[in-house]
């Protein structure tokens, strides 16, 4: 579904942040990336989405090589990326946020928006509310809904539960599981590593821009070394 191999990328003249990181996601999977702060996890998602230029490596989506395509090209190839921050327009309504997310494919917009309202009724109730008035969990649902407006084949989520209460985080994990049951593969970065690995088919540990470990989510969640380093023992 997605193969991102040997990615090398960074910001301007600074030392490279990604030093050969590789991730893959098969159809139907939930895959979680964990690792220390500053390891390059967000940079990895941005590099996959075409928001950071690659100096090395390759990205394929459904077997199509998109390495030379920009973010819009990768979106058209089926990838949707929900950034960690600034992922909704606060001064626009819920409905307007969903509409602008459809800019690259306006035909059929209303039908796709209504499907998102059916999936997330709270967004339908709040369709006229400004996005900045939503709770953290509702805002994340809106950001995911905006990603879904492009009818992606693959969804990338950067720390979807960041800043949420434990209850809201659990609800969001439930929403992620539910979305995945539709067949949509999901690749996410999470700080709530244990909870995220437990709902993931597979996980990757990224340290200083390289793969440090990989395995089944449930195995990583009980690995003593991983627990000691990343999961608080
Ligand atoms: N826009 C940017 N410009 C320059 N350096 C950046 C930028 N974004 C991130 N970095 C640096 O890249 C490194 C990796 O950041 P990031 O990918 O956000 O890590 P993580 O998501 O794993 O915490 C950090 O040292 C960070 O300071
Ligand atoms: Mg990050």
């Amino acid at each position: 579904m997605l193969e991102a191999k040997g990615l090398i990328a960074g910001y301007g003249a600074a030392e490279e942040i990604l030093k050969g990181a590789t991730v893959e996601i098969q159809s139907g999977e939930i895959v979680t990336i964990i690792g220390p702060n500053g390891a390059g996890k967000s940079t990895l998602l941005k590099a996959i989405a075409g928001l950071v230029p690659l100096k090395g490596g390759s990205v394929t989506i459904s077997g199509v090589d998109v390495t030379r395509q920009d973010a819009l090209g990768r979106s058209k190839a089926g990838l949707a990326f929900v950034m960690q921050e600034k992922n909704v327009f606060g001064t626009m309504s819920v409905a307007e946020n969903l509409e602008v997310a459809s800019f690259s494919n306006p035909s059929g917009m209303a039908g796709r928006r209504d499907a998102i309202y059916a999936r997330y009724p709270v967004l339908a109730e709040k369709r006229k509310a400004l996005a900045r008035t939503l709770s953290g969990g509702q805002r994340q649902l809106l950001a995911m809904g905006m990603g879904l407006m492009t009818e992606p084949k693959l969804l990338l989520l950067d720390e979807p539960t960041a800043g949420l209460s434990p209850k809201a985080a659990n609800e969001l994990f439930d929403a992620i599981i539910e979305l995945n049951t539709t067949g949509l593969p999901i690749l996410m970065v999470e700080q709530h590593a244990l909870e995220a690995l437990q709902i993931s088919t597979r996980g990757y540990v990224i340290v200083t821009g390289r793969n440090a470990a990989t395995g089944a989510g449930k195995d990583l969640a009980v690995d003593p070394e991983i627990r000691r380093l990343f999961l608080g023992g």
Side-chain angles (χ1 to χ4, degrees):
M1 190 64 238
L2 171 79
E3 275 185 9
K5 283 192 183 160
L7 300 190
I8 298 175
Y11 302 93
E15 195 197 348
E16 303 302 352
I17 303 297
L18 298 181
K19 299 169 179 168
T22 291
V23 297
E24 263 184 46
I25 175 162
Q26 311 295 335
S27 13
E29 282 194 305
I30 300 180
V31 173
T32 292
I33 299 169
I34 63 170
N37 260 335
K41 304 180 299 297
S42 294
T43 305
L44 177 55
L45 292 191
K46 288 185 217 163
I48 292 170
L51 297 170
V52 172
L54 287 177
K55 293 190 188 146
S58 64
V59 179
T60 64
I61 298 172
S62 298
V64 178
D65 189 328
V66 296
T67 311
R68 312 236 160 266
Q69 299 208 27
D70 63 8
L72 186 57
R74 293 187 198 188
S75 162
K76 290 189 166 157
L79 183 144
F81 175 37
V82 180
M83 293 185 284
Q84 183 181 348
E85 284 169 334
K86 303 197 181 113
N87 53 21
V88 301
F89 298 100
T91 57
M92 288 169 39
S93 70
V94 166
E96 287 165 342
N97 270 279
L98 293 174
E99 284 157 24
V100 293
S102 208
F103 77 97
S104 65
N105 180 18
S107 73
M109 185 279 289
R112 291 198 301 279
R113 189 194 53 204
D114 290 346
I116 286 160
Y117 286 153
R119 177 174 295 279
Y120 304 125
V122 67
L123 297 183
E125 281 161 35
K126 303 230 165 194
R127 71 220 299 159
K128 295 199 171 119
L130 297 185
R132 66 176 155 78
T133 67
L134 300 178
S135 72
Q138 292 165 353
R139 214 173 310 155
Q140 258 324 308
L141 284 185
L142 176 58
M144 277 167 38
M146 291 170 73
L148 296 176
M149 284 300 282
T150 62
E151 298 191 311
K153 295 181 195 156
L154 170 72
L155 184 64
L156 310 187
L157 303 173
D158 195 355
E159 298 202 27
T161 69
L164 299 187
S165 69
K167 179 168 177 283
N170 280 330
E171 287 170 4
L172 197 74
F173 281 132
D174 287 343
I176 289 170
I177 294 170
E178 189 271 334
L179 192 53
N180 175 253
T181 62
T182 67
L184 182 66
I186 297 172
L187 174 64
M188 64 178 166
V189 168
E190 257 302 334
Q191 290 294 342
H192 293 105
L194 186 56
E195 293 87 341
L197 288 172
Q198 280 165 342
I199 67 163
S200 296
T201 16
R202 290 184 307 107
Y204 290 92
V205 182
I206 299 289
V207 178
T208 55
R210 293 188 181 89
N211 292 58
T214 182
K218 289 187 170 75
D219 294 341
L220 290 178
V222 298
D223 182 295
E225 184 68 3
I226 304 265
R227 288 185 77 96
R228 189 178 65 77
L229 287 172
F230 303 112
L231 305 174

